[in-house]
Amino acid sequence: MPLVTTKEMFQKAYGNYAVGAFNVNNMEIVQGITEAAMEENAPVILQVSAGARKYAKHIYLMKLIEAAVADTGVPIAVHLDHGADFEICKDCIDGGFTSVMIDGSKYSFEENVELTKRVVDYAHERGVVVEAELGKLAGIEDAVVVSEADAAFTDPDQAAEFVHRTGCDSLAIAIGTSHGAYKFKGEPKLRFDILEKVTKVLPNTPIVLHGASTVMPEFVKQCNEYGGQLPGAQGVPEDMLHKAGTMGVCKINIDTDLRLAMTASIRKFFAEHPDKFDPREYLSPARAAIKDMVKHKMRDVLGCSGKA
Ligand code: G3H
Ligand code: 13P
Ligand code: ZN
């Protein structure tokens, strides 16, 4: 099974379930996620940010993902997360990715349309699909902080015009999620009414939810028990993610939960084994924690188990 685009994955998923898009930065993360996908027989999107490319280098991540395809046989799409400009999208398309995100959400509507269309034209000529974003999420990505005051929900009518003018394959919308471990100060709330309006004006356009980690309480607790300091960390409740998956959200982005699973495991290991220093000994349980978490997401939250 070669690398695939998200086209068929999203067609099958639309209105029924969502496919998980997990951020990868090293071998243990790639293995944990793809072994989970294999055991769950689930399609999976591995996504790579600019920060991940800087940390691990494009070629290492690509080779790790190719190895995972050969090792697991599950349909894997490899996606650029939050491409900031045309050049990084071009680099990833030329470098073997099957999907890219052009994130023009920081620009005006007209500039976003123009930039996205340019990427779409380049990508489609090469069989690569494009995710775009309209609306602004609060939170942190690639060390850029968007304050709550600067965040803005997606306007459904603008969304329709945007998709028609750009020809993008999927659209990331802002309905109250945000990146990182601190998503809500009080009760978690998502604007499902906006999602519903978007899918009414854009029937069958796959919708993407960024900032969709649950910030799983057991990992936060474990981090804090073993020396971490994450007071008040809170994410998107799993029932809300499940509901989104039945309403046209086809791709659910998860990074923070991977980071927390890995960190909680390593913190515990070091606290319990202060004498150990072999990375294989603390990275093995960390990889297993990622795998268990991803299996749970696929089976109990996204609903994509058995859909490979
Ligand atoms: O959206 C942000 C993702 O969590 C990627 O984070 O840019 O630090 O790799 P990163
Ligand atoms: P989280 O920070 O909620 O995991 O979101 C990740 C994301 O949206 C990557 O693009
Ligand atoms: Zn994101």
Side-chain angles (χ1 to χ4, degrees):
M1 162 82 64
L3 285 172
V4 296
T5 74
T6 52
K7 216 173 186 67
E8 199 189 323
M9 280 183 191
F10 291 168
Q11 271 166 6
K12 278 173 72 179
Y14 193 91
N16 300 308
Y17 60 89
V19 179
F22 300 94
N23 286 73
V24 296
N25 290 278
N26 69 10
M27 183 187 76
E28 286 74 14
I29 299 175
V30 170
Q31 288 178 333
I33 297 163
T34 54
E35 283 168 19
M38 181 176 63
E39 288 181 19
E40 291 298 319
N41 192 30
V44 71
I45 301 163
L46 299 182
Q47 55 187 9
V48 173
S49 68
R53 289 175 89 235
K54 192 167 167 209
Y55 171 75
K57 290 192 185 171
H58 182 100
I59 187 163
Y60 284 84
L61 292 171
M62 204 60 210
K63 295 292 173 194
L64 285 170
I65 294 168
E66 282 167 11
V69 169
D71 189 40
T72 63
V74 291
I76 297 177
V78 53
H79 172 79
L80 168 66
D81 191 26
H82 293 284
D85 50 38
F86 176 81
E87 285 66 34
I88 190 170
C89 292
K90 179 181 182 302
D91 239 38
C92 289
I93 293 165
D94 296 347
F97 283 26
T98 59
S99 172
V100 293
M101 175 189 190
I102 176 67
D103 182 357
S105 60
K106 57 186 172 296
Y107 296 118
S108 71
F109 181 78
E110 286 301 325
E111 287 167 327
N112 192 358
V113 167
E114 194 182 318
L115 175 61
T116 301
K117 174 91 176 70
R118 195 171 161 221
V119 173
V120 167
D121 288 345
Y122 190 83
H124 284 183
E125 272 173 30
R126 291 157 183 83
V128 171
V129 292
V130 178
E131 172 186 327
E133 180 167 327
L134 195 65
K136 261 189 209 155
L137 268 69
I140 311 163
E141 78 205 31
D142 259 330
V144 177
V145 181
V146 178
S147 72
E148 274 176 48
D150 289 333
F153 293 121
T154 304
D155 176 314
D157 293 326
Q158 268 199 343
E161 183 185 343
F162 184 84
V163 171
H164 292 135
R165 284 176 62 190
T166 61
C168 65
D169 301 277
S170 59
L171 185 70
I173 62 170
I175 58 166
T177 62
S178 60
H179 293 107
Y182 303 90
K183 301 191 192 296
F184 302 100
K185 289 218 176 77
E187 257 320 88
K189 192 174 179 319
L190 293 189
R191 292 288 305 271
F192 284 106
D193 58 317
I194 296 179
L195 171 60
E196 212 172 342
K197 282 187 189 139
V198 170
T199 54
K200 268 219 176 84
V201 289
L202 284 171
N204 299 320
T205 295
I207 302 301
V208 178
L209 217 52
H210 281 251
S213 278
T214 303
V215 187
M216 295 173 74
E218 58 265 45
F219 296 137
V220 174
K221 185 165 172 273
Q222 192 172 319
C223 282
N224 288 338
E225 262 171 26
Y226 293 101
Q229 284 186 6
L230 301 167
Q234 197 189 173
V236 184
E238 292 184 336
D239 59 333
M240 290 190 186
L241 297 174
H242 183 80
K243 180 173 167 184
T246 64
M247 292 177 67
V249 169
C250 293
K251 174 173 178 274
I252 288 196
N253 283 11
I254 296 171
D255 188 2
T256 298
D257 281 336
L258 296 165
R259 296 175 179 192
L260 288 171
M262 191 163 206
T263 302
S265 166
I266 292 172
R267 278 196 177 281
K268 181 168 189 280
F269 183 92
F270 282 143
E272 288 175 352
H273 306 280
D275 55 323
K276 304 262 192 194
F277 53 88
D278 180 342
R280 293 170 299 187
E281 290 190 84
Y282 57 84
L283 290 175
S284 295
R287 178 174 56 191
I290 284 180
K291 179 172 157 183
D292 288 349
M293 187 275 285
V294 171
K295 287 184 70 163
H296 159 68
K297 293 278 178 189
M298 290 170 162
R299 196 184 328 116
D300 306 322
V301 184
L302 308 175
C304 60
S305 290
K307 311 288 188 189

